[in-house]
Amino acid sequence: MPSNKYFCIVRSESGSCEPPSPAKMEAMYAKFNTWKDTFKDNIVDMGGKLAAGGKVVTADSVSDGPFVEIKEIVGGYMIIAADSMAQAIEVVQASPGVGGVGSSVEIREISHA
Amino acid sequence: MTDSIVEHFFRHEYGKLVAVLSRKVGVQYLALVEDAVQFALLSGVELWARKGQPENPSAWLYRVAHNQLVGELRQRQSRERILGEQGPTIEDTCEDAQVLLSDDFSDDMLRMLFVCCSEQIPHQSQLILALKILCGFSIQEIASRLFLTEANVYKRYSRAKKTFKTAPNLLAENLDKTYVKRIPAVHKVLYLLFTEGYLSSRSEYTVRQELCDEAVRLTAMLAKHRYGHVPETFALLALMYFHLARMASRQDDAGSLLLLHQQDRSLWCAAHIQQGVFWLEKSAQGNVFSRYHAEAGIVVEHCMAPSFQETRWDNIVSCYEVIEAAAPSPLHRLNRAIAIAQWQGAEAGLALLKDYSAPAWLLDSFHWNATLADLHYRAGNRALANNYREAALKAAPNAAQKALILSRWRMLDSG
């Protein structure tokens, strides 16, 4: 298992467009499975999809979130392992998470210190 | 571990689930049903990709779609209170998941097919409905396959769906008479679906093949079911298999169209021809000789002929005569002339067209001009042939057709 861990934040444009057709879903599914097989050593936690809506909590307040004015909302997360940021980028770039229009993945190394 | 899934699983599950659930709640709730199925499929994709596939994906999808639909209907019920007593009754239990494990769902799918072919709905829209509901294509995918705009497909689809509000019974009741009456419309829409794929020269091979495969899938389902267990269905299915058998050989490696006598007959699929023969034999019963019988009769001659030269053109000519009598069309006359020319020579073919007053659209068409150019050339009327060649080139609908006739003439001129 590679030494470093990276937290990946999957973003997509809010108010996402048309739902995918069954044929597209089939393609997505196949792509996901191929990716999973190819990078099985790098995938620590497949993560998950985040449900819509949520709360933003501070010491003295609780409000509804995520903020709707933000153009891109966080839709999911995952944790991968890699030897370097370069390798992490390679893994993520091959993932279905970056495939959609307006979707992106932010990679942050989980600090050892 | 790879979660392998059969080809077109999602698309076909979509059609199956929409048909089964629509029968349960009534086709007037089609929009809700479609949303619920879409939801289930998407949940499946997302969850299975992470956690692995459940043991029985079909049953899993059914359960999720069913629960989603029940929840949605409940919400509506309490919100609007209009569903009250006349509202749909839908059981909470999912005992029907078992149904999906067997072949019984084909009953629901066929009922749905017959509903799609309601008399009030135009043929083109029936085709769109079948592709959307039973084959699981999206509006956008249908538009690209039928060469229509998305707006057009969408309009036709929503207009057709409105007629369902008044005709919900066919899914639930035993209306044998209605089914019998509607069978010709069902045949026609399946035939259309197939020819859209087979004859179109406008799109990728795989895309066209897909439409043909869907047509065969639905027709085979119909042929095995009591509603569709009639000789015309068998003939239609035979016709499709014979065409399918030759599909791969109609284009060369570069994607250019090939004429029948240029095709490599060893590429013809023996398994499909066998299927075709099986259904053709079954179709030879009763006292109806339909146009599907005649068309299957023509293709089987081509499939069985060891070579282009050894084709039994006389049989083909008599089949064209039947088709022309059953469904008079100038194109059938033209096809018959081509077959006669093969059988008795170019002059005999020309003779059939000589006193024929063809309609203007045919006279301006690529088919007419290319055929006459060919026949006149073979009959030795070079000047006339050249005139028709020019007209054919002008009328050719696309580059592939243009390339086809140019290569044909190069061959004739050099041989």
Side-chain angles (χ1 to χ4, degrees):
Chain A
M1 176 76 60
S3 51
N4 303 327
K5 286 193 179 141
Y6 296 86
F7 188 74
C8 303
I9 304 149
V10 183
R11 291 205 166 88
S12 53
E13 248 167 50
S14 62
S16 63
C17 43
E18 283 280 286
S21 70
K24 284 219 185 79
M25 287 192 231
E26 204 161 309
M28 278 162 51
Y29 189 53
K31 192 172 172 193
F32 208 106
N33 283 324
T34 316
W35 178 73
K36 227 166 49 174
D37 279 351
T38 318
F39 294 104
K40 52 181 176 300
D41 292 341
N42 299 92
I43 300 165
V44 178
D45 183 342
M46 197 70 93
K49 201 181 140 161
L50 302 179
K55 297 289 176 195
V56 178
V57 181
T58 64
D60 53 7
S61 78
V62 175
S63 57
D64 288 334
F67 304 111
V68 281
E69 64 269 23
I70 297 176
K71 205 170 155 233
E72 288 186 327
I73 55 162
V74 176
Y77 75 96
M78 59 190 170
I79 300 171
I80 60 166
D83 290 324
S84 63
M85 181 56 97
Q87 199 196 3
I89 291 171
E90 191 191 325
V91 175
V92 168
Q93 217 146 38
S95 80
V98 295
V101 181
S103 60
S104 63
V105 178
E106 180 179 334
I107 310 174
R108 307 283 291 270
E109 186 175 341
I110 300 176
S111 172
H112 302 289
Chain B
M1 182 197 69
T2 305
D3 297 318
S4 63
I5 243 177
V6 287
E7 220 187 345
H8 306 317
F9 174 81
F10 287 95
R11 225 161 32 68
H12 290 172
E13 269 321 286
Y14 182 93
K16 209 159 99 176
L17 288 168
V18 169
V20 172
L21 290 170
S22 297
R23 197 247 310 141
K24 286 193 83 157
V25 300
V27 74
Q28 66 271 39
Y29 294 104
L30 183 63
L32 286 184
V33 169
E34 283 193 300
D35 286 347
V37 173
Q38 177 80 23
F39 171 84
L41 288 177
L42 200 55
S43 313
V45 169
E46 279 162 357
L47 197 74
W48 303 349
R50 292 193 171 86
K51 311 258 158 141
Q53 229 165 268
E55 208 169 291
N56 186 335
S58 296
W60 189 96
L61 289 175
Y62 177 80
R63 216 157 35 235
V64 173
H66 177 275
N67 292 344
Q68 174 76 6
L69 181 61
V70 170
E72 195 56 42
L73 286 170
R74 286 256 165 71
Q75 261 186 23
R76 275 203 160 193
Q77 220 157 10
S78 52
R79 208 167 45 222
E80 299 172 21
R81 290 187 168 277
I82 47 162
L83 299 180
E85 277 161 10
Q86 321 101 299
T89 48
I90 177 161
E91 309 93 84
D92 283 3
T93 52
C94 273
E95 86 284 8
D96 284 47
Q98 285 307 318
V99 170
L100 293 169
L101 307 184
S102 68
D103 273 343
D104 289 356
F105 67 87
S106 65
D107 189 272
D108 286 330
M109 286 198 67
L110 285 174
R111 282 170 184 259
M112 194 49 125
L113 177 61
F114 277 80
V115 169
C116 290
C117 295
S118 299
E119 291 77 10
Q120 312 91 297
I121 303 174
H123 282 307
Q124 178 83 321
S125 305
Q126 293 176 355
L127 190 61
I128 288 169
L129 280 175
L131 283 169
K132 176 82 169 71
I133 299 174
L134 296 165
C135 308
F137 286 112
S138 70
I139 296 285
Q140 189 237 325
E141 285 161 352
I142 295 171
S144 77
R145 276 160 183 76
L146 300 185
F147 302 94
L148 300 168
T149 64
E150 273 179 55
N152 184 323
V153 174
Y154 184 77
K155 206 158 74 190
R156 281 175 173 279
Y157 181 62
S158 22
R159 207 179 287 156
K161 245 181 4 182
K162 274 196 196 123
T163 59
F164 286 170
K165 301 228 183 263
T166 54
N169 291 332
L170 206 53
L171 279 179
E173 287 169 27
N174 185 3
L175 296 168
D176 281 353
K177 269 201 192 122
T178 315
Y179 286 109
V180 171
K181 219 172 63 199
R182 211 170 276 181
I183 267 212
V186 170
H187 286 152
K188 180 151 187 188
V189 93
L190 293 171
Y191 181 79
L192 263 178
L193 179 57
F194 187 86
T195 47
E196 274 300 331
Y198 188 71
L199 291 182
S200 166
S201 45
R202 290 176 289 185
S203 54
E204 295 279 315
Y205 177 74
T206 45
V207 169
R208 295 194 284 119
Q209 172 96 36
E210 216 169 45
L211 291 183
C212 294
D213 289 344
E214 288 301 320
V216 170
R217 183 171 76 100
L218 294 176
T219 310
M221 213 183 264
L222 183 68
K224 286 170 193 155
H225 197 275
R226 64 189 168 91
Y227 299 141
H229 208 261
V230 294
E232 288 97 315
T233 311
F234 306 152
L236 180 59
L237 190 53
L239 168 66
M240 289 178 181
Y241 273 122
F242 288 136
H243 275 315
L244 217 51
R246 302 184 302 152
M247 196 149 170
S249 67
R250 284 173 75 227
Q251 282 176 312
D252 63 16
D253 294 338
S256 309
L257 292 169
L258 292 173
L259 291 164
L260 183 58
H261 70 270
Q262 299 172 308
Q263 294 175 13
D264 179 356
R265 286 176 188 239
S266 68
L267 287 178
W268 293 0
C269 172
H272 283 149
I273 295 180
Q274 246 167 32
Q275 289 269 26
V277 170
F278 172 82
W279 289 106
L280 191 64
E281 269 174 9
K282 273 185 83 93
S283 80
Q285 52 171 293
N287 44 21
V288 182
F289 191 84
S290 66
R291 63 170 298 186
Y292 306 119
H293 283 90
E295 286 195 39
I298 291 169
V299 231
V300 72
E301 287 298 342
H302 289 308
C303 283
M304 293 309 196
S307 70
F308 183 77
Q309 286 73 23
E310 292 166 88
T311 308
R312 296 191 296 185
W313 294 105
D314 50 335
N315 285 353
I316 291 181
V317 169
S318 57
C319 280
Y320 272 123
E321 276 163 15
V322 173
I323 296 177
E324 237 192 298
S329 150
L331 270 179
H332 296 153
R333 166 70 66 120
L334 188 62
N335 283 332
R336 181 149 70 96
I338 296 171
I340 287 185
Q342 288 304 332
W343 178 30
Q344 298 172 325
E347 287 88 354
L350 283 169
L352 185 72
L353 299 176
K354 193 164 162 266
D355 296 322
Y356 181 60
S357 51
W361 64 262
L362 184 65
L363 290 175
D364 292 336
S365 76
F366 162 72
H367 289 106
W368 176 267
N369 288 295
T371 304
L372 278 149
D374 229 76
L375 295 181
H376 278 301
Y377 186 93
R378 282 152 60 194
N381 315 323
R382 296 294 155 94
L384 264 172
N386 278 334
N387 291 345
Y388 281 115
R389 281 183 180 193
E390 267 168 44
L393 262 187
K394 229 187 273 164
N398 60 36
Q401 305 272 15
K402 235 176 229 166
L404 179 75
I405 49 177
L406 285 174
S407 89
R408 164 85 175 146
W409 295 336
R410 263 196 306 277
M411 213 162 48
L412 280 176
D413 292 340
S414 66

